[in-house]
Amino acid sequence: MSNTFYITTPIYYVNDVPHIGHAYTTIAADVLARYWRLRGRDVFFLTGLDEHGQKVQQAAAKAGIDPQAHCDRLAPQFEQLWNRLNISNDAFIRTTEPRHKGVVQRYLQELFNKQLIYKDTYTGWYCTFDERFWTEKDVTDGLCPDCKRPLERLSESNYFFKMGQYQERLIEHIKTHKNFIRPPSRRNEVLGFLQTQKLGDLSISRPKSRLSWGIELPFDKDYVTYVWFDALVNYVSALEYKTPQPSLDRYWPASVHLVGKDILTTHAVYWSTILMALNLPLPETIFAHGWWTVNGEKMSKSRGNVVDPNAVVDEFGEFGVDAFRYFLMREVPFGQDGDFSREALIGRVNSDLADGLGNLVSRTLTMIERFTQGRIPPPSDAAESDLDAQLTQSTGELMAFVMDHIEQLRFNRALETMWELIQRCDQYIDKTAPWTLAKKSEDNARLHAVLHRVVKALELLIPLLYPIMPQTAESMASQLGLSPQIYGRRMVLQGLVPGREIAKGKPLFPRIDHRKTQGDSHVTDSSSPTETLQPSSATTQITLEEFQKVHLKTAKVLSAERVPRSEKLIKLQVDLGGEQRQVVAGIGKKYTPEELIGRTVVLVANLKPAKLMGVESQGMVLAAGDADVLEVLILQRDVPPGTKVK
Ligand code: MSP
C-alpha cells in the first residue's frame, strides 16, 4: 500500500452560507486525515471553494461589486468555520487563484490539441430567467421545471468534450475496481445508468455573451469554461502549487474524494472521463454520503431551516465543537441520509458523552485521587484474574475493530465500538469494586493493578477518539497524566508512567437541560454530572444512572393501524413533542387501533430502532404483562407529548 493518503472534500460554492452539509463532509474528511496521520501516512487533505459561474456573477451584480471582490468578501466565512471546527486541512484552494486557472487552461488546450474537444451547435430548451438549458426529458408543456416560465427553443454554439467515447472503459473500470464508487448502492446506481443509457458528450464552454465569470478557453476568447470542468480540476491543480514538489507524483491518484450523493455523477462520470482523456489515473475511491434533513424536513433557505454550524457550536459553548463532530459521525451510517435536530443532539450529549465517556473518565480520576494520592498506580506482577484477562482481550479486539471501521468509513460503527469499550471498563470497575479493595490495606497491589488497567484501556482509546473529537481526547489525556503532545496535527502520548500525577479538571461534557428553550444557555452547570463511583452491591439492582440511560417519555398517538398479516402488531405514529416517531407495538390482541388514537402512552424513546415484520419501530410502548400484554400504560390526564417520565 502506498504510504500517502490524499483526501478531498468538494469545493463549496463561495456564494453559499456554510451549513451542516458542508460541515459534514469536511469533518468526515478531517477524521480520515487525522486518523491516517496517526497511522504514519503522508497525508494531504484538501478543501476549498468553487468561485466561478452564473450564481456568483449574478450575486455580485446584485451587490453592485466586481465578482472577484464578492468572492474575496465571502471566502473567509468558510475558512473561519473550518478553523473553528478544528479542521486540519493541509491546503485551501480557491478556483479564482491564477495558478489554478493556468492549470485548467493547460488541460483544456491539451484536450483540444488531442481533438478530444470539438465545436458544435446545440439546440435545446432555454430559460431566459434561470439562464440555463433544460433537456427534453426535464420539460413538460414547454415550461421551465424550476421557475415554471415558458421556455424558448434556442441554438447555441459550444465546445464539447468527447465524453461518450469513454463509456465502455468507465463501465469496465467500475466493474473491476470494487472500491471505486462507494457505498455499493451508489456504485450500482452509476453502473445501472451507464449500462442502460448512451453517454453523450459534455458541453464544456459557455459563450461570454451569456456568462463571463469563468476561465477563458485558451483557444477561443469568446468563451469561458463550464464551471464543473474548472471545479473538478482543482483536485489536481492544487497538487501543482499547494504542496512541495513533486506532488502530483507523490499524491495522485487521490485516495478518497468525499462527495454528497447529489454530485456523484459529476465526479464518477465527468471527472473520471476527463482523467482518462488526460491520461491520468482515476482516484481510488469516490465515496458519496447521504443528506441531512432538519427536524424531518428538507433543509432549504426558503424554509428558513438551514443549520448554521456556528450557531450550534455557540449554543453548546466550549464543548460544542466536539459534541457537533461526535453527533454528525455517530448519528447515521456514513452513506445514508440522516436527520438533525437539537433534541437528538442533546440526547447524545447527555447519554453518550456526559453519562458514558465523561462519567467513566471522571470516576476513574476520582478513584485515583482518593485511593492512590492522585498518582497513576503501578501495574501488578500478580497473575491476572479472568476479569482482567477479559478486559485486556476485549480492549485489543475492540480497538482493532475501531480501526477497521474508520478505514472503511463506518464512522458510526467505530464510535459504537469505542462506546462498547467504555461500557466494559465501567463493568470491570463495578465488578472489581476498587472502593472495597481500598478499605483493605492488604489489597493495595490489587487496587493499583485494577486502576492501572482502566487507565491503560483509556490510553488505547484516546488516539482513536482523537480523529473524531480532538479536543476531548487531548483533555482526557492531560487529565489522566498521559502528557499529550501535538506534533504537526498529530497527537502523541507520552504514555502511562506509574507515579505520574493526574490532573483532574472539569468534566469532559456537562449534562444539558432539554427543557430550556433555544437561545438560553443549555449547559445545566459546569460542575460534574452525577458521578457514579460505586454501583450497588446486588447484581440485580441497577444504579440511578443506569436507569437514567433509559429515556422514558410521554407520547401522543396520532394514528394507528394493524401491521398486515400480524394479529399482534400495531403500527403507531406518535408525537414525541416536536418529533414524530413510528413505533410498532405487540398489543394487537388486547387493543384495537382505534382505541389507541389520541391517547398518551409512555415510550422508551432511546431504544435502538428495530424492524418488526419488516416495519421499522423507533421506540417501545410500555405495557404491563409478560408474554401476553395485559394493559398498556395510558396516562389518565393529558400531559404535553415528550414529557420525561421518571
Ligand atoms: N461546487 C460544487 C462542488 C464541486 S466539487 C469539484 C457543489 N458545491 S455545494 O456547495 O453546493 O455543495 C457541496 C456539498 O454539500 C455537496 O457534497 C452536497 O452534497 C453537500 N450538501 C448540501 N446540502 C446537504 C445536506 N443537506 N446534507 C448533506 N450534505 C449536503 O456542489
Side-chain angles (χ1 to χ4, degrees):
M1 195 192 342
S2 133
N3 192 43
T4 54
F5 183 77
Y6 177 26
I7 171 101
T8 67
T9 73
I11 48 171
Y12 307 111
Y13 289 127
V14 66
N15 238 6
D16 272 2
V17 177
H19 59 59
I20 183 179
H22 306 125
Y24 186 44
T25 333
T26 312
I27 290 172
D30 188 53
V31 170
L32 290 171
R34 285 177 185 272
Y35 172 81
W36 283 114
R37 283 188 200 112
L38 282 182
R39 298 291 312 272
R41 280 172 78 170
D42 169 10
V43 170
F44 186 62
F45 168 15
L46 177 71
T47 187
L49 295 174
D50 189 352
E51 303 194 341
H52 288 123
Q54 192 113 293
K55 293 218 168 104
V56 175
Q57 181 173 305
Q58 281 167 350
K62 206 168 155 195
I65 54 172
D66 160 67
Q68 186 64 59
H70 177 71
C71 295
D72 294 345
R73 187 188 279 180
L74 293 176
Q77 48 174 356
F78 280 91
E79 285 178 279
Q80 281 157 10
L81 178 63
W82 303 151
N83 261 333
R84 190 149 192 225
L85 295 180
N86 259 325
I87 302 300
S88 64
N89 54 306
D90 297 288
F92 189 86
I93 187 167
R94 296 178 53 190
T95 53
T96 51
E97 285 163 349
R99 297 205 52 187
H100 167 76
K101 294 194 230 172
V103 177
V104 171
Q105 289 182 323
R106 204 176 74 221
Y107 283 148
L108 285 166
Q109 188 67 54
E110 185 181 328
L111 297 182
F112 188 71
N113 294 349
K114 286 185 182 167
Q115 297 179 348
L116 290 169
I117 287 177
Y118 63 94
K119 196 172 184 183
D120 201 2
T121 303
Y122 172 83
T123 306
W125 292 105
Y126 187 73
C127 173
T128 352
F129 182 80
D130 287 331
E131 300 187 31
R132 62 162 290 181
F133 278 97
W134 293 98
T135 57
E136 204 69 53
K137 67 176 185 335
D138 297 322
V139 178
T140 28
D141 303 332
L143 297 178
C144 170
D146 210 27
C147 69
K148 312 288 178 224
R149 290 178 171 80
L151 295 166
E152 283 177 64
R153 210 61 195 155
L154 199 84
S155 287
E156 189 174 279
S157 285
N158 264 311
Y159 287 89
F160 289 81
F161 161 56
K162 292 186 182 168
M163 182 163 77
Q165 71 180 47
Y166 297 97
Q167 182 159 12
E168 283 313 312
R169 214 175 124 188
L170 183 57
I171 293 176
E172 198 48 34
H173 187 87
I174 299 174
K175 282 190 177 161
T176 49
H177 296 77
K178 102 177 185 319
N179 283 334
F180 178 53
I181 300 176
R182 292 173 62 192
S185 54
R186 299 282 169 210
R187 171 176 185 262
N188 293 340
E189 246 173 58
V190 176
L191 258 185
F193 143 82
L194 284 172
Q195 285 172 327
T196 51
Q197 290 175 38
K198 188 171 161 7
L199 187 63
D201 289 346
L202 180 69
S203 158
I204 49 99
S205 68
R206 298 291 178 265
K208 276 193 187 166
S209 53
R210 183 150 80 75
L211 169 71
S212 61
W213 186 236
I215 301 175
E216 192 176 279
L217 293 189
F219 41 82
D220 192 335
K221 292 199 175 339
D222 292 334
Y223 290 85
V224 295
T225 188
Y226 170 43
V227 68
W228 270 101
F229 188 95
D230 163 3
L232 289 161
V233 167
N234 95 87
Y235 299 134
V236 287
S237 70
L239 296 181
E240 291 208 14
Y241 68 99
K242 295 281 184 185
T243 69
Q245 299 291 340
S247 57
L248 196 68
D249 300 352
R250 182 161 150 198
Y251 293 116
W252 193 259
S255 313
V256 184
H257 284 324
L258 284 186
V259 299
K261 61 181 183 181
D262 56 318
I263 56 172
L264 178 59
T265 310
T266 46
H267 282 79
V269 182
Y270 298 6
W271 182 224
S272 300
T273 53
I274 293 170
L275 286 167
M276 285 175 179
L278 291 168
N279 280 327
L280 285 169
L282 304 198
E284 275 164 44
T285 294
I286 301 173
F287 194 107
H289 65 67
W291 268 45
W292 288 92
T293 50
V294 178
N295 294 312
E297 288 194 355
K298 193 171 177 305
M299 186 172 78
S300 71
K301 272 191 207 152
S302 54
R303 284 173 207 256
N305 64 350
V306 175
V307 178
D308 172 6
N310 284 300
V312 178
V313 172
D314 283 344
E315 192 183 350
F316 297 101
E318 61 187 297
F319 312 94
V321 171
D322 277 1
F324 186 57
R325 291 175 63 114
Y326 174 81
F327 180 83
L328 293 183
M329 294 297 104
R330 174 67 186 81
E331 188 70 359
V332 285
F334 201 59
Q336 291 178 25
D337 293 340
D339 186 52
F340 180 87
S341 71
R342 229 181 114 253
E343 287 66 32
L345 173 61
I346 294 176
R348 289 237 173 251
V349 171
N350 286 345
S351 66
D352 303 1
L353 299 180
D355 295 351
L357 176 68
N359 184 57
L360 170 64
V361 172
S362 113
R363 78 195 287 219
T364 305
L365 290 165
T366 302
M367 288 189 289
I368 294 175
E369 270 188 341
R370 284 205 207 148
F371 307 145
T372 65
Q373 294 79 48
R375 291 180 184 278
I376 298 288
S380 141
D381 308 330
E384 290 194 319
S385 73
D386 283 353
L387 282 177
D388 302 335
Q390 271 166 19
L391 185 67
T392 310
Q393 194 193 341
S394 52
T395 310
E397 278 171 10
L398 291 174
M399 294 307 97
F401 285 140
V402 172
M403 290 197 261
D404 188 48
H405 287 320
I406 297 183
E407 289 168 25
Q408 297 306 321
L409 290 84
R410 294 186 294 255
F411 305 115
N412 69 320
R413 300 285 306 279
L415 284 165
E416 249 173 45
T417 311
M418 288 190 239
W419 259 249
E420 205 173 315
L421 179 65
I422 291 172
Q423 207 184 11
R424 301 237 180 140
C425 286
D426 272 327
Q427 287 164 350
Y428 175 78
I429 295 173
D430 295 348
K431 287 188 185 148
T432 50
W435 42 88
T436 312
L437 299 173
K439 285 190 195 133
K440 308 181 208 152
S441 56
E442 69 275 17
D443 278 341
N444 248 350
R446 178 74 189 137
L447 170 69
H448 291 171
V450 163
L451 292 178
H452 186 93
R453 201 174 296 281
V454 174
V455 182
K456 186 84 206 158
L458 293 175
E459 186 196 9
L460 293 175
L461 178 68
I462 288 169
L464 294 177
L465 207 55
Y466 174 77
I468 297 172
M469 296 199 284
Q471 278 172 3
T472 306
E474 211 186 316
S475 158
M476 249 173 97
S478 307
Q479 296 202 35
L480 288 163
L482 298 169
S483 316
Q485 309 283 331
I486 308 291
Y487 296 109
R489 306 159 194 272
R490 282 187 306 125
M491 185 180 64
V492 176
L493 300 182
Q494 292 295 299
L496 227 186
V497 182
R500 180 167 291 159
E501 251 182 289
I502 58 156
K504 187 170 194 253
K506 276 205 281 189
L508 296 178
F509 290 94
R511 283 190 66 82
I512 293 165
D513 188 347
H514 270 266
R515 288 158 307 183
K516 292 197 177 165
T517 52
Q518 197 150 6
D520 284 359
S521 160
H522 294 276
V523 178
T524 31
D525 63 78
S526 57
S527 66
S528 167
T530 12
E531 183 184 292
T532 51
L533 204 56
Q534 198 165 323
S536 155
S537 53
T539 49
T540 49
Q541 294 181 331
I542 59 167
T543 60
L544 184 62
E545 186 226 354
E546 282 168 317
F547 173 69
Q548 279 168 344
K549 284 189 181 159
V550 182
H551 292 180
L552 297 176
K553 286 186 177 178
T554 60
K556 188 162 185 148
V557 180
L558 302 172
S559 66
E561 61 180 276
R562 288 194 182 275
V563 170
R565 294 183 306 283
S566 166
E567 45 167 356
K568 238 174 116 181
L569 298 182
I570 294 188
K571 184 171 88 178
L572 309 168
Q573 300 296 337
V574 300
D575 177 0
L576 206 63
E579 186 197 342
Q580 191 174 326
R581 292 263 187 106
Q582 171 171 298
V583 182
V584 179
I587 53 179
K589 282 190 179 166
K590 182 80 188 170
Y591 290 85
T592 62
E594 295 70 35
E595 62 184 316
L596 293 162
I597 296 172
R599 314 300 293 269
T600 298
V601 297
V602 179
L603 194 75
V604 180
N606 61 340
L607 198 66
K608 252 194 195 153
K611 281 201 169 157
L612 300 174
M613 290 195 62
V615 184
E616 175 154 88
S617 180
Q618 304 153 329
M620 183 172 85
V621 171
L622 291 192
D626 197 358
D628 284 320
V629 166
L630 302 176
E631 199 76 46
V632 169
L633 268 69
I634 292 179
L635 268 73
Q636 291 204 338
R637 270 177 242 144
D638 268 352
V639 299
T643 305
K644 184 173 173 180
V645 176
K646 51 179 193 171

